Amino acid sequence: MKKLQYIIYAILLLVIVGLVAFDYYPDQTLDQNTITRAALLFIGTLLSIVKTATRSNREVSNKKATYSKAYPEFIGNAFSHSPKLEKSFYDALDDFNNGRYASAIKKFEKLRLQCQTTDDIYAVTTFQAICYNRLQHYQKAIELYQDATHLRPNSTLISNMGNCYSNLGLPEEAVDSYHQAIKVDPQNILPYNNLAQLYVQMGEYTKAADFAKQALNINAKYPLALSAMAISSYMLGDMDDYESYYRLAVANGYDGNVLKEYIRSLDSTV
């Protein structure tokens, strides 16, 4: 859109020059009205160009402020060495943040060829991995998560990689990833919760309860861990704990009907 605006401005400037030349060449003189109109048009066009450029810079600054705050551990100083590349990076990140994952992937791929620092490479690789993950292209996401975490071990990314393995039906690899994520950051609730959820799916309710409790030691109101505790308690026959954790899960935002339906589906297979 902005390229089109600049093209239009360039055409306007050429038209202004053409009008002046058209008025000048027949008798080698310029009418004062022509000069005035041309000057006003020229100044107006230049002001529009400056306004467009200023608005563009302001948009980049706003995106940078928003996304640097939202994803500080993944962005760092990515592309800060080049205003042009930094703008392209935040445009790609805007696509990512608004769910336009295919478009974001293409933009990040172009940026990959222009990376100059570790921050550049890490940011591009990380966000591409998350895009592929959300598009359910799990194998490609795993490859990129591995590349990113080789650059900088990150508990959340490793845990995300575990989710990809789980979605591919590879529970052992998923468990290994979650334990690795815990080693990187023992205070990250995600891998504990992911282990609890995986063990619920596998029918290993004692293990599920163990990791759900560890998650709740970090955040006692985490709804997913509370739901895992409710499910595990029910399947282990502890109805008092089930009622308690069920109420807590619902109080903290978990859909009670979904939870009961999931328990019913598990109960019918036993």
Side-chain angles (χ1 to χ4, degrees):
M1 182 63 181
K2 291 186 180 64
K3 286 183 179 179
L4 179 60
Q5 286 179 300
Y6 286 125
I7 290 171
I8 292 171
Y9 293 147
I11 292 172
L12 283 173
L13 290 174
L14 289 173
V15 169
I16 293 167
V17 172
L19 288 173
V20 172
F22 182 80
D23 187 69
Y24 173 76
Y25 275 108
D27 54 8
Q28 306 293 302
T29 61
L30 283 173
D31 181 79
Q32 185 61 43
N33 289 333
T34 300
I35 296 174
T36 302
R37 286 196 298 270
L40 290 173
L41 285 171
F42 189 81
I43 292 170
T45 302
L46 287 180
L47 289 174
S48 295
I49 292 172
V50 171
K51 183 178 180 180
T52 299
T54 302
R55 184 169 62 247
S56 178
N57 291 335
R58 186 165 59 249
E59 288 174 358
V60 173
S61 297
N62 290 341
K63 289 176 183 177
K64 183 175 181 179
T66 299
Y67 297 139
S68 293
K69 185 177 181 179
Y71 312 111
E73 60 185 325
F74 301 144
I75 293 176
N77 293 311
F79 298 102
S80 59
H81 52 82
S82 167
K84 181 179 178 181
L85 293 178
E86 187 174 53
K87 179 184 180 303
S88 297
F89 172 70
Y90 283 104
D91 284 344
L93 201 52
D94 197 53
D95 279 350
F96 162 81
N97 201 63
N98 287 286
R100 300 186 290 268
Y101 301 123
S103 175
I105 287 170
K106 290 179 181 178
K107 291 179 180 179
F108 285 129
E109 195 59 39
K110 289 181 181 179
L111 282 165
R112 181 180 295 280
L113 302 174
Q114 302 175 79
C115 290
Q116 297 180 20
T117 69
T118 301
D119 276 5
D120 296 350
I121 299 170
Y122 182 70
V124 165
T125 304
T126 293
F127 286 109
Q128 275 196 303
I130 300 172
C131 285
Y132 278 113
N133 190 348
R134 293 182 181 177
L135 289 172
Q136 300 182 11
H137 297 171
Y138 298 122
Q139 190 57 55
K140 182 63 176 178
I142 288 170
E143 293 171 10
L144 290 166
Y145 279 134
Q146 288 174 336
D147 290 343
T149 54
H150 284 158
L151 287 171
R152 290 176 187 161
N154 180 282
S155 180
T156 296
L157 297 185
I158 298 169
S159 189
N160 286 356
M161 184 163 59
N163 292 343
C164 290
Y165 280 124
S166 179
N167 286 320
L168 288 171
L170 299 169
E172 291 184 6
E173 288 84 349
V175 168
D176 287 343
S177 293
Y178 296 144
H179 281 291
Q180 184 183 349
I182 290 170
K183 288 180 181 179
V184 171
D185 182 5
Q187 292 304 307
N188 185 357
I189 196 171
L190 294 178
Y192 297 104
N193 175 69
N194 289 337
L195 279 164
Q197 302 297 328
L198 180 59
Y199 282 126
V200 164
Q201 293 172 26
M202 295 169 66
E204 298 188 35
Y205 301 112
T206 300
K207 288 184 178 179
D210 179 47
F211 284 105
K213 286 177 181 176
Q214 292 184 66
L216 293 172
N217 285 337
I218 298 171
N219 181 352
K221 296 183 178 181
Y222 197 66
L224 289 173
L226 289 167
S227 73
M229 278 302 305
I231 295 166
S232 300
S233 298
Y234 183 94
M235 298 306 293
L236 291 170
D238 190 336
M239 293 299 106
D240 288 339
D241 274 0
Y242 160 69
E243 292 291 344
S244 175
Y245 284 114
Y246 173 84
R247 286 194 297 270
L248 285 169
V250 172
N252 285 282
Y254 203 93
D255 189 320
N257 291 327
V258 171
L259 182 52
K260 285 185 176 180
E261 183 59 35
Y262 187 74
I263 290 173
R264 275 195 293 269
S265 70
L266 291 175
D267 205 19
S268 66
T269 63
V270 176

